[in-house]
Amino acid sequence: MRGISRCLLGIVLCVVPFLKPLAQDCPDRPASGTVVADPFSISSRNGSLDAQFTLGHSVDTAGYTHYCYKYQAPGQVVEAPTLRVGPGDVLNLNIVNGITDGDSTKMNMAPPQGPKCGDGGAATVSSTNVHFHGMNVPPVCHQDDVINTLIQPGSAGFQYGVHIPSTQPPGMYWYHPHVHGFTEFQVNGGAAGALIVNGMEKSRPEVAGLTERVFVIRQQYLVPWIPGPYILTLNYQSPFLAQFPVIDMKPGEKQFWRVANATLQDFLELQVQVSGTAVPLTLIALDGYPLSQTRSTNTILVPPAGRAEFIVQAPAAGLSAAFVTNSYDTGPTGNLDVANTLATIQTTTTANSTRMPEASQPSADEIKYRSFALQPATTQRKLYFSEEFGGTNGPIQFYITVDGQKQKVFEPNEQPVISTKVGAIEDWTIENRALETHAFHIHQIHFRVLEVDGKPAPNQDLRDTIEIPFWDGKGPYHSVKLRMDFSDPTTAGTFLFHCHILLHEDLGMMHKILVSP
Ligand SMILES: [Cu+2]
């Protein structure tokens, strides 16, 4: 549903950004129409990556808040650096909530009643925590718990120590705040960055030695109280009039692009167009997992929170080229995902960037994921997305429901709606009964896409986020059948599954699952 629903649901949410004096905490963003640089990158050394981020915000002249992760690099403060780790490393990330002028009195949620993690207290518009999206890491305090972890403004900070499994596939993941009710606020235009697990050249030698580019696409609502208008930014550079971000490539050069959809709700139908025609891209990985076989396609659909990694061949000198997203129909009650030029591509003889390492053999640990979720399922479940107009919780309710249970919105202190055990292999059929496309995401694990609309999926990819198209009001619902593999004890615990349209998640289209050891 469009952004207006947040305002319809609570005028307080819409006016909060206007009540505070201007703050200018966040680094300046790159000027429109300039060459896009990769995010600043920090890498693990001797098995650990130690860094400190401070969450800040700036309020623009329209009164809207942009959140940011600030990192003190040598000689400069940079925003949301790319974190690079290896399988088996520890990510020691210290998070300081540096918001000094937030207004925690206007909107808050009851304190989580689970074990206190971090500062405790009520979740407010200025509370934060971090989710490591796609990482197969434990859902426990100081790792990837987002149910009980709260980092409040003014506290000393919070120490994450995320143990990356030795079996974590090489690829692109991302990090962002995940406080229920306020995720969209903090991700909007700002607080999100890329997390890369090294070693893709071992699994997919096609990328060895290529120039590597990291692109994070974010979304900024322009007018928070009016639905629709937004811009998409590429590594924080926004377009202005016809001045688009510029990607430099050498003529004919093959580059390895790693693209994260860090938008709030946008389904990105990505293409590289040369002289107006989409050209073939070699797809290497989705959602951090290398494909079992590469495939050639000229369009890659990346739902909100998804990632796609692919090889792009630069045009010959003198041809016009662009990186674009097409318009995407999300249904009668869905958002308007319009066509956008993300960047123009210019050929230059001086383009350079970091290069992927040369190929080497993956270890046995690193290739374990290839057999993930191949075993037959022992349990079948059916879930569905739905929306309800009118009700006690505002004009629209957003639900994800286990078939047979009562429709209800997420409550931070609810009991898990699904309980299972380590070792379970389950097939979940997820229907979309709403007049709007939703994006299913589960924390901690990936799933194998077995079927789409009841037919075998041609590629059976491993994903952590997948689109389920809207119902058009007649005929069968669209659905996916996903194999959930809970065999890894590393990810035992209580964690979340939800729609990754962040407004929907904030409004309760989410529930808990318990995987008991
Ligand atoms: Cu949704």
Side-chain angles (χ1 to χ4, degrees), residues 94-117:
N94 189 264
I95 299 286
V96 174
N97 186 336
I99 295 176
T100 54
D101 57 356
D103 195 331
S104 59
T105 64
K106 298 297 178 202
M107 176 76 193
N108 58 57
M109 300 267 172
Q113 288 164 6
K116 181 179 163 190
C117 179

Side-chain angles (χ1 to χ4, degrees), residues 37 45 77 96 115 160 175 198 208 228 260 303 323 337 352 360 384 406 418 464 479 487 502:
R45 294 201 193 292
V77 175
V96 174
Y160 284 95
Y175 57 85
N198 299 327
F323 182 32
D337 289 357
N352 66 63
S360 59
Y384 61 93
K406 188 176 179 312
I418 294 175
D464 61 43
S479 66
S487 57
L502 293 180

Side-chain angles (χ1 to χ4, degrees), residues 62-338:
Y64 204 65
T65 300
H66 308 249
Y67 289 80
C68 57
Y69 286 122
K70 295 180 288 182
Y71 172 72
Q72 180 64 58
Q76 60 174 334
V77 175
V78 299
E79 187 166 359
T82 299
L83 302 173
R84 291 178 187 268
V85 294
D89 286 352
V90 182
L91 170 57
N92 295 310
L93 186 62
N94 189 264
I95 299 286
V96 174
N97 186 336
I99 295 176
T100 54
D101 57 356
D103 195 331
S104 59
T105 64
K106 298 297 178 202
M107 176 76 193
N108 58 57
M109 300 267 172
Q113 288 164 6
K116 181 179 163 190
C117 179
D119 298 320
T124 80
V125 70
S126 298
S127 309
T128 198
N129 61 22
V130 183
H131 172 47
F132 301 94
H133 185 116
M135 298 297 286
N136 309 138
V137 297
V140 301
C141 190
H142 299 286
Q143 295 210 51
D144 193 34
D145 164 71
V146 294
I147 296 171
N148 296 305
T149 306
L150 286 175
I151 310 167
Q152 305 288 14
S155 76
F158 182 79
Q159 185 66 42
Y160 284 95
V162 182
H163 291 253
I164 319 284
S166 58
T167 51
Q168 186 76 45
M172 189 185 210
Y173 304 85
W174 67 298
Y175 57 85
H176 65 84
H178 204 300
V179 174
H180 176 60
F182 308 105
T183 298
E184 186 187 51
F185 271 99
Q186 295 186 7
V187 174
N188 186 3
L195 170 59
I196 288 180
V197 176
N198 299 327
M200 182 62 80
E201 70 287 350
K202 298 178 189 174
S203 287
R204 294 265 45 117
E206 295 87 348
V207 305
L210 298 186
T211 293
E212 179 204 46
R213 300 304 315 268
V214 174
F215 294 127
V216 180
I217 300 168
R218 300 177 180 85
Q219 184 170 30
Q220 176 75 55
Y221 286 149
L222 294 181
V223 191
W225 65 98
I226 295 178
Y230 64 84
I231 50 170
L232 298 178
T233 66
L234 191 64
N235 293 356
Y236 289 119
Q237 185 182 152
S238 57
F240 181 70
L241 299 177
Q243 290 186 297
F244 298 106
V246 177
I247 296 174
D248 263 354
M249 300 179 86
K250 289 181 188 166
E253 176 197 20
K254 279 185 179 174
Q255 292 191 349
F256 178 42
W257 288 12
R258 322 187 83 169
V259 179
N261 181 346
T263 69
L264 308 171
Q265 56 79 11
D266 209 51
F267 293 82
L268 296 170
E269 198 176 272
L270 299 176
Q271 291 184 336
V272 172
Q273 296 180 350
V274 176
S275 303
T277 301
V279 298
L281 308 168
T282 305
L283 192 58
I284 295 291
L286 289 169
D287 295 352
Y289 275 50
L291 302 186
S292 52
Q293 293 202 304
T294 65
R295 54 184 187 261
S296 180
T297 176
N298 59 19
T299 305
I300 303 172
L301 177 64
V302 187
R307 287 84 64 213
E309 302 177 62
F310 50 93
I311 296 172
V312 181
Q313 182 157 24
L319 295 178
S320 72
F323 182 32
V324 306
T325 175
N326 294 325
S327 64
Y328 183 79
D329 184 3
T330 65
T333 62
N335 301 284
L336 198 60
D337 289 357
V338 297

Side-chain angles (χ1 to χ4, degrees), residues 438 499 501 504 509:
H438 294 285
C499 176
I501 291 175
H504 299 177
M509 201 174 231

Side-chain angles (χ1 to χ4, degrees), residues 1 267 385 387 398 436-439 498-505 509:
M1 190 57 203
F267 293 82
F385 284 119
E387 296 176 9
F398 296 91
E436 142 171 56
T437 300
H438 294 285
H498 58 86
C499 176
H500 220 290
I501 291 175
L502 293 180
L503 177 66
H504 299 177
E505 169 192 331
M509 201 174 231

